[in-house]
Amino acid sequence: MQVQLSKKGADLHARTGCLTSALLLNSGFTVPDMIELNRKVQLLRDGMRNAVGPTSIA
């Protein structure tokens, strides 16, 4: 199965640019700050997932 963006989705994709660049530019975080934040968010996600047990969301 293949999934493709609609014209509206493709137009939006072309306007959004790179998420990483936008986050670094607008957050004031450094690359190490962003890596640490990502690590902490993953720990939070895993802890919440473990607290509620298996779900259908991966």
Side-chain angles (χ1 to χ4, degrees), residues 6-53:
S6 65
K7 176 162 176 16
K8 182 178 179 181
D11 291 344
L12 180 61
H13 182 263
R15 291 191 345 239
T16 58
C18 177
L19 177 60
T20 301
S21 296
L23 288 172
L24 288 171
L25 178 68
N26 296 299
S27 70
F29 285 16
T30 64
V31 171
D33 292 337
M34 292 299 288
I35 291 169
E36 181 64 12
L37 177 60
N38 186 43
R39 187 186 71 76
K40 287 180 178 181
V41 169
Q42 290 175 8
L43 287 171
L44 175 62
R45 176 206 59 206
D46 293 345
M48 296 304 294
R49 184 179 289 151
N50 291 336
V52 298

